[in-house]
Amino acid sequence: MCGIVAYIGEKEAYPIVIKGLHRLEYRGYDSAGVALINDKLNVYKCKGKVADLENFTKDKDKSGTLGMGHTRWATHGEPNDANAHPHVSQDGKITIIHNGIIENYHPLKEELIKRGHTFKSDTDTEVLVHLIEDIQKNEKTDLAEAVRIALNEVIGAYAIVVISQEEPNQLIGAKKGSPMVVGIGTDEFFIASDATPIVEFTKNVVYLEDEEIAIIRRGEELKIKTIKNKDKTPYVQELELHLEALEKGGYDHFMLKEIYEQPRSIMDSMRGRLNAKEGIVRLGGLSDYEQKMINADRFIIVACGTSWHSGLVGEYLIEDLARIPVEVEYASEFRYRNPIITEKDVVIAISQSGETADTLAAIELAKSKGATIIGICNVIGSSIPRMSHAGSYTHAGPEIGVASTKAFTSQVTVLTLMALSLGRKKGTIPESRFRQLLSELELIPSKVEKLLKANDQIEYIASLFKDSRNFLYLGRGYNFPVALEGALKLKEISYIHAEGYPAAEMKHGPIALIDEEMPVVFIATKKGAYEKVVSNIQEVKARKGKIIAIVTEGDTTVKSMADFVIEIPETEEELMPILSVIPLQLLSYHIAVMRGCNVDQPRNLAKAVTVE
Ligand code: M6R
């Protein structure tokens, strides 16, 4: 979704802002723009990539130590030059960038038109900057006060930055629903949608809360007030982010780098939480709420996309090991269907970004009904952890590729630790099984390392199937969510239509699709319903479907039936998704690269989906 970056200080703003926009490219966007104030305000914007914007501004005046930039993911109005941000006021002196949606922009716009305003774009954002200007003129206030008054009239979500040619020593940021972080350097300040554009300049940041306004003036300390005019003391935190994590580090794509990071990211998800020798599992962030979780009537897992798939694995794990009933809900459906939620429910929100609008809204609803909210998120300081009663970070490190990879395996790792810890406390796992799973979990990072050696073979298989028009992914038990995840990975980055199904469901419909043109990926690892999956493979073979099977090392049965097999190390059934998903990530990656797709920024997709 939209990316925001802004700077005020002693340096030239343009290079900092452009670099920041490049760092935010991973969020997904379709146009970009900058505003710079020297003596006067210069705004440059165009459809396309940040590189197109740089080209566009080549011969322009880019001077100024106050500036801001934006990458836009279209919501209101098509992606074009006019709709790109920044937008300017009627008199051309105030300018704004915005992430979010102003829901009541239409009546506001009509009112402003009656008052003589004219608009150049179809966006809700342009309405907001005209409203600020209108208020400033009529109320004779300074810019910060006009922003505050305007935000009281606005319904919707926003992260905005506003600057004015008339007040060139001031940068104003505000947020509600969409994320915003302020970086505090020496004689300089930064504002951004997330910390990635800031980390190379300062580690000191303040995450704004909803309805807070940051007022930044040269030579003064950061001031924060609410839109209700209450002063707040800024809470300065130290960033844990490292710059290397934001670079490709020699890989062709962030996605490949992140796939290869998994031995480490899975280890980081377990670090300090698991000691197999001593038989200890401990999720520190949950300790105050563990009893509440044990006594819960049920868990409701809310999430979207890949995080929803890891939630499904979580359902199997928690029901299996801790014997607590679990429901897994698409956050977007849950919130709109008047769900029954009680104070004895525990709602687990899973999200890589911690900013997904649907997931946030789902937990807001559950919280209002008295449920306990547990967050499992990757981005530290993001909105979902801040809105949760307790939770566990996945510690996978920044995930830049739009397609989630290491986030999934880390989420499943944390859910496994959670299920083990609850099961132990409830006495639902026999001690020997508990110990066995712990020891095996500790070995998972080295098994992932080994599994990644199959990359060349997977690349070869990808070359044979890159032109397929459809794919089917089938698995059972713990491998069913993996089938869904494999299909999602393929469709989002290669644009090949793919479906995931529980293998046994195939004969209730999808079997009609099978012919010699249809590749079917079976996740057919040993244990669980292995024998049943073997029968499903036979059914596909009988109809001449092409079979690619993910099997346990040494499997000869499936090998004799499948066209291609990818072997993965043996592990316990409960831990299998962490391994079996990895060949599917690599398969999608290679197919997408061979089809010439933009792997890290697939079309129409955004990394953090901050609108409904
Ligand atoms: O940040 P979140 O985990 O809440 O994001 C949820 C989905 O938008 C996300 O998983 C999406 O499906 C990915 N593109 C999948 O690769």
Side-chain angles (χ1 to χ4, degrees):
M1 297 274 127
C2 304
I4 279 176
V5 59
Y7 174 81
I8 187 167
E10 290 170 352
K11 300 183 192 126
E12 282 300 301
Y14 180 80
I16 294 171
V17 168
I18 285 290
K19 200 168 189 189
L21 290 182
H22 278 300
R23 292 248 185 260
L24 293 170
E25 282 189 296
Y26 79 95
R27 298 169 71 92
Y29 70 105
D30 40 56
S31 55
V34 288
L36 302 155
I37 292 183
N38 197 343
D39 288 333
K40 65 182 196 32
L41 169 66
N42 284 314
V43 174
Y44 309 118
K45 53 187 190 168
C46 61
K47 183 180 168 187
K49 295 287 174 193
V50 178
D52 298 315
L53 176 68
E54 286 178 275
N55 221 7
F56 178 67
T57 57
K58 220 181 243 155
D59 305 319
K60 306 268 194 307
D61 175 9
K62 302 188 281 288
S63 60
T65 53
L66 170 62
M68 62 189 194
H70 187 267
T71 49
R72 173 176 188 254
W73 190 86
T75 56
H76 292 67
E78 63 175 282
N80 60 25
D81 295 353
N83 288 334
H85 298 208
H87 290 285
V88 291
S89 55
Q90 185 77 24
D91 65 7
K93 290 181 178 168
I94 308 174
T95 183
I96 191 171
I97 50 178
H98 170 218
N99 175 14
I101 292 179
I102 307 300
E103 286 168 16
N104 60 336
Y105 84 102
H106 198 66
L108 291 172
K109 189 172 183 174
E110 281 183 348
E111 187 54 38
L112 287 163
I113 289 171
K114 278 191 213 145
R115 296 155 82 94
H117 287 256
T118 53
F119 293 89
K120 297 192 178 94
S121 77
D122 309 317
T123 65
D124 50 337
T125 307
E126 192 185 10
V127 174
L128 182 53
V129 70
H130 281 243
L131 178 66
I132 293 167
E133 172 188 35
D134 200 66
I135 291 169
Q136 191 176 15
K137 288 202 167 130
N138 290 319
E139 309 276 328
K140 311 230 171 336
T141 65
D142 65 8
L143 184 64
E145 182 60 4
V147 168
R148 190 189 71 75
I149 297 169
L151 292 179
N152 278 285
E153 292 187 26
V154 152
I155 300 169
Y158 55 79
I160 55 165
V161 181
V162 185
I163 56 177
S164 165
Q165 184 184 308
E166 302 288 287
E167 297 176 54
N169 294 315
Q170 180 175 256
L171 183 61
I172 295 168
K175 76 142 246 161
K176 182 183 176 191
S178 301
M180 176 162 276
V181 54
V182 179
I184 306 171
T186 312
D187 299 324
E188 59 185 3
F189 291 90
F190 308 80
I191 294 181
S193 309
D194 62 46
T196 54
I198 296 178
V199 63
E200 61 197 282
F201 301 104
T202 178
K203 293 258 175 193
N204 297 324
V205 295
V206 174
Y207 291 96
L208 288 194
E209 297 290 340
D210 277 354
E211 301 198 336
E212 283 184 352
I213 306 172
I215 301 160
I216 301 168
R217 297 196 176 108
R218 284 184 214 272
E220 292 183 16
E221 306 233 300
L222 165 68
K223 274 199 199 84
I224 297 182
K225 60 163 71 173
T226 68
I227 64 167
K228 301 288 175 231
N229 218 3
K230 200 166 155 242
D231 288 333
K232 299 288 280 287
T233 309
Y235 171 53
V236 183
Q237 301 185 43
E238 195 172 327
L239 278 179
E240 284 179 21
L241 199 61
H242 295 289
L243 198 54
E244 316 81 72
L246 306 177
E247 314 276 356
K248 284 191 201 146
Y251 288 89
D252 288 343
H253 299 95
F254 280 110
M255 182 180 176
L256 189 62
K257 176 183 174 233
E258 286 154 10
I259 292 173
Y260 271 84
E261 273 173 357
Q262 288 176 106
R264 189 198 50 73
S265 56
I266 294 165
M267 184 89 88
D268 287 346
S269 303
M270 297 193 284
R271 200 178 301 285
R273 295 168 166 175
L274 167 71
N275 183 334
K277 229 190 240 157
E278 310 270 317
I280 295 171
V281 180
R282 193 168 42 89
L283 285 166
L286 297 185
S287 43
D288 290 349
Y289 282 83
E290 215 161 35
Q291 205 47 49
K292 185 128 203 182
M293 292 174 85
I294 288 168
N295 295 334
D297 279 352
R298 59 174 177 168
F299 287 0
I300 304 168
I301 297 180
V302 291
C304 305
T306 289
S307 298
W308 186 82
H309 296 153
S310 71
L312 281 184
V313 181
E315 176 183 29
Y316 285 61
L317 285 163
I318 294 164
E319 293 200 340
D320 221 1
L321 302 176
R323 307 304 295 152
I324 297 168
V326 181
E327 287 168 23
V328 187
E329 301 267 2
Y330 284 114
S332 53
E333 286 299 313
F334 177 73
R335 55 184 294 205
Y336 284 118
R337 64 165 178 75
N338 195 13
I340 300 163
I341 309 163
T342 75
E343 287 168 10
K344 290 210 72 186
D345 288 329
V346 167
V347 172
I348 301 177
I350 306 177
S351 172
Q352 187 288 128
S353 61
E355 301 292 351
T356 301
D358 288 319
T359 311
L360 268 167
I363 62 174
E364 231 166 63
L365 172 73
K367 208 172 174 182
S368 72
K369 308 243 176 201
T372 299
I373 314 294
I374 305 294
I376 298 181
C377 298
N378 191 36
V379 177
I380 296 181
S382 55
S383 302
I384 292 173
R386 284 187 286 132
M387 207 189 265
S388 304
H389 292 106
S392 290
Y393 281 113
T394 50
H395 295 302
E399 190 180 67
I400 308 290
V402 163
S404 236
T405 52
K406 63 175 180 172
F408 175 82
T409 47
S410 281
Q411 288 164 349
V412 174
T413 303
V414 169
L415 286 160
T416 309
L417 295 172
M418 184 187 279
L420 283 165
S421 166
L422 293 171
R424 175 107 200 265
K425 297 231 160 65
K426 276 192 77 183
T428 46
I429 321 175
E431 183 64 17
S432 59
R433 182 81 189 128
F434 175 78
R435 293 273 181 166
Q436 199 178 1
L437 284 167
L438 249 51
S439 308
E440 191 53 35
L441 192 52
E442 266 193 342
L443 297 177
I444 289 288
S446 60
K447 293 194 175 180
V448 173
E449 193 90 61
K450 187 170 175 203
L451 173 49
L452 289 168
K453 299 211 167 79
N455 181 48
D456 289 353
Q457 184 210 358
I458 296 170
E459 188 173 5
Y460 170 69
I461 297 173
S463 72
L464 303 178
F465 289 96
K466 69 177 183 359
D467 297 320
S468 302
R469 293 167 59 87
N470 298 288
F471 263 78
L472 207 52
Y473 285 73
L474 302 174
R476 294 187 76 155
Y478 281 94
N479 282 327
F480 159 55
V482 175
L484 296 182
E485 176 59 7
L488 176 65
K489 246 11 18 131
L490 187 70
K491 65 187 139 196
E492 69 179 332
I493 61 167
S494 74
Y495 319 139
I496 295 174
H497 172 247
E499 293 293 337
Y501 265 95
E505 271 294 302
M506 181 183 64
K507 54 188 168 299
H508 300 288
I511 198 164
L513 295 168
I514 291 170
D515 60 15
E516 57 279 6
E517 300 282 299
M518 175 64 100
V520 184
V521 180
F522 274 98
I523 304 115
T525 51
K526 285 263 169 69
K527 304 191 179 156
Y530 173 75
E531 307 297 340
K532 306 275 178 209
V533 177
V534 170
S535 308
N536 299 139
I537 294 176
Q538 300 274 27
E539 288 155 14
V540 171
K541 198 174 164 60
R543 287 157 185 86
K544 299 194 166 52
K546 293 275 172 295
I547 297 161
I548 304 165
I550 313 298
V551 299
T552 310
E553 244 165 19
D555 182 313
T556 48
T557 314
V558 176
K559 205 176 221 167
S560 67
M561 291 183 251
D563 296 276
F564 302 93
V565 294
I566 302 165
E567 291 195 333
I568 65 173
E570 185 153 11
T571 190
E572 297 301 327
E573 190 190 356
E574 293 87 335
L575 310 181
M576 192 50 91
I578 309 178
L579 298 184
S580 57
V581 75
I582 287 169
L584 306 187
Q585 297 170 346
L586 284 168
L587 184 67
S588 308
Y589 170 77
H590 288 300
I591 289 179
V593 170
M594 286 168 197
R595 288 168 70 93
C597 299
N598 186 344
V599 172
D600 285 333
Q601 291 162 37
R603 69 182 179 207
N604 306 335
L605 284 173
K607 184 67 187 163
V609 184
T610 53
V611 295
E612 279 188 46

